[in-house]
């Protein structure tokens, strides 16, 4: 493939030109497009806006379960049989303390996520109080809240209380949405983003890849988020939680396809914070670090109900690739002394055929 194609992708993105559908489809599916030059083209765009910086987010699952919605991908949905730990809303002090911990661990954004269909006035009033407490202690730190559907008035109240970002993921395209949820619509979600935008809040919204969608659905979501000028875009990869209705479509959740998807989101949303989100460790495997070339953000400490890599492992991955984090804290100090140690082989590993009596260890092993 002529290298001019890759440089043209980066040039068009940096010039603010929106790629056409055939080009977007090629990025996702054309095997003749090599992944390394494609990643490099996306990296040129990422570097222009964010340099070598990685923005770290930490989630607080402020309320778990008891949700009336049937989102098929979610362990908290009423349709899920996942064995999760259910609890009501955490106390103000518990959420404030988690904010302190998040910022002390290098997070640039603290994200509070609440289960449920929508933000009632009582919840908004409670959030306003919590937001005021956090902002009084950390005035320069970002706070993001995910609390279901929000009206224009509710979004305005949260903005006035100090909220920086409102999260509400589109998750998939409008055409495919009925396949993953029946208790609300794509339009309901889009309206919440528009309410956040009208209130002057930053918009955090993304999708979940691997729910059986077509390439056209992924392209559509990336375009929708460009249209609403989403400042933060988490690209989630369906996590295979036992008990949920959906399981990953293994045919398209390969590391190569995931990296292509991240590149597509970068080209179509050049100045947005693209986050390689849930499932990155599980699906990207040995190529996880490559996601930092199109993406400039990730989660630390796992996700809502699924665990992730340890903090030290993730931070070390960032440093080893030559990146830094957006934080007043030193990356080396955050990694600390948790350095990997060499493991010595045991005698059984060194001498697998050593005789024990009249038989070797190998011969003593049960037949498979």
């Amino acid at each position: 493939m002529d290298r001019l194609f890759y440089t043209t992708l980066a040039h068009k993105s940096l010039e603010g030109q929106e790629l056409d559908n055939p080009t977007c489809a090629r990025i996702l599916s054309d095997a003749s497009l090599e992944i390394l030059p494609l990643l490099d083209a996306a990296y040129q765009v990422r570097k222009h806006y964010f340099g070598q910086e990685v923005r770290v987010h930490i989630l607080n699952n402020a309320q778990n379960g008891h949700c009336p919605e049937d989102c098929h991908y979610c362990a908290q949905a009423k349709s899920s049989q996942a064995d999760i730990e259910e609890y009501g809303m955490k106390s103000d002090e518990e959420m404030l303390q988690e904010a302190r911990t998040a910022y002390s661990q290098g997070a640039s954004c603290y994200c509070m996520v609440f289960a449920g269909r929508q933000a009632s006035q009582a919840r908004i009033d409670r959030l306003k109080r919590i937001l005021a407490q956090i902002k009084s202690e950390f005035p320069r730190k970002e706070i993001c809240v995910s609390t279901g559907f929000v009206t224009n008035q509710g979004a305005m109240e949260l903005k006035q209380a100090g909220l920086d970002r409102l999260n509400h993921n589109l998750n998939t395209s409008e055409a495919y949405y009925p396949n993953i949820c029946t208790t609300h619509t794509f339009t309901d979600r889009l309206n919440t983003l528009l309410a956040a935008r009208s209130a002057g809040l930053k918009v955090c919204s993304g999708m979940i890849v691997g729910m059986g969608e077509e390439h056209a659905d992924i392209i559509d979501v990336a375009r929708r988020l460009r249209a609403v000028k989403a400042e933060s875009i988490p690209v989630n990869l369906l996590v295979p939680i036992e008990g949920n209705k959906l399981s990953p479509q293994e045919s398209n959740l390969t590391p190569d396809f995931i990296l292509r998807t991240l590149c597509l989101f970068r080209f179509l949303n050049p100045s947005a914070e693209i986050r390689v989100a849930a499932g990155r460790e599980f699906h990207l495997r040995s190529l996880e670090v490559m996601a930092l070339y199109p993406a400039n953000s990730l989660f630390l400490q796992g996700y809502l109900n699924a665990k992730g890599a340890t903090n030290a492992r993730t931070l070390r991955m960032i440093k080893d690739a030559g990146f830094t984090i957006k934080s007043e804290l030193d990356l080396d100090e955050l990694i600390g002394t948790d350095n990997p140690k060499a493991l010595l082989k045991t005698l059984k590993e060194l001498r697998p055929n050593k005789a024990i009596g009249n038989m070797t260890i190998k011969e003593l092993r049960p037949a498979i």
Side-chain angles (χ1 to χ4, degrees), residues 182-197:
T182 64
T183 50
H184 61 262
T185 67
F186 180 91
T187 300
D188 292 329
R189 287 187 169 268
L190 185 59
N191 285 342
T192 290
L193 299 186
L194 297 178
R197 179 60 71 213

Side-chain angles (χ1 to χ4, degrees), residues 119-121 123-125 128 147 149-161 163 166 191-192 194-201:
S120 64
Q121 188 59 49
R123 176 175 290 183
I124 287 175
D125 291 340
K128 286 160 60 177
T147 185
F149 305 134
V150 176
T151 64
N152 288 357
Q153 178 61 33
M156 183 62 70
E157 290 185 41
L158 292 174
K159 169 69 174 176
Q160 292 171 348
L163 183 65
L166 186 74
N191 285 342
T192 290
L194 297 178
R197 179 60 71 213
S198 69
L201 288 165

Side-chain angles (χ1 to χ4, degrees), residues 72-96:
H72 302 343
Y73 52 81
C74 183
Q76 301 183 56
K78 69 176 184 180
S79 56
S80 175
Q81 300 300 313
D83 185 21
I84 64 172
E85 300 289 343
E86 295 187 320
Y87 52 83
M89 196 182 301
K90 295 176 181 177
S91 68
D92 291 15
E93 181 56 34
E94 192 174 358
M95 285 188 271
L96 178 58

Side-chain angles (χ1 to χ4, degrees), residues 213-334:
E213 71 282 342
E214 302 290 337
H215 292 177
D217 299 304
I218 297 174
I219 296 168
D220 181 72
V221 174
R223 291 197 189 286
R224 290 274 192 166
L225 295 173
R226 179 188 177 98
V228 299
K229 297 180 173 61
E231 287 89 352
S232 180
I233 301 177
V235 179
N236 299 283
L237 314 167
L238 184 64
V239 178
I241 295 177
E242 186 176 352
N244 284 0
K245 280 193 171 184
L246 287 175
S247 62
Q249 308 298 306
E250 297 294 348
S251 61
N252 64 6
L253 281 185
T254 63
D256 177 82
F257 181 76
I258 293 163
L259 294 173
R260 287 171 180 271
T261 300
L262 291 170
C263 289
L264 176 71
F265 271 84
R266 173 56 67 202
F267 292 134
L268 288 178
N269 298 274
S271 63
E273 177 183 285
I274 306 295
R275 186 154 51 262
V276 54
R280 75 167 196 268
E281 302 95 332
F282 185 90
H283 292 293
L284 282 166
R285 301 188 291 277
S286 61
L287 295 187
E288 181 186 348
V289 70
M290 304 305 289
L292 294 180
Y293 290 88
N296 67 297
S297 175
L298 49 68
F299 283 115
L300 207 62
Q301 290 189 343
Y303 312 100
L304 290 183
N305 284 283
K307 293 183 179 180
T310 65
N311 287 12
R313 178 189 176 279
T314 299
L315 293 172
R316 190 179 293 110
M317 176 184 72
I318 292 171
K319 179 185 176 183
D320 288 348
F323 293 98
T324 185
I325 62 171
K326 183 183 180 181
S327 176
E328 297 85 6
L329 304 175
D330 182 77
L331 183 54
D332 286 324
E333 291 182 6
L334 289 169

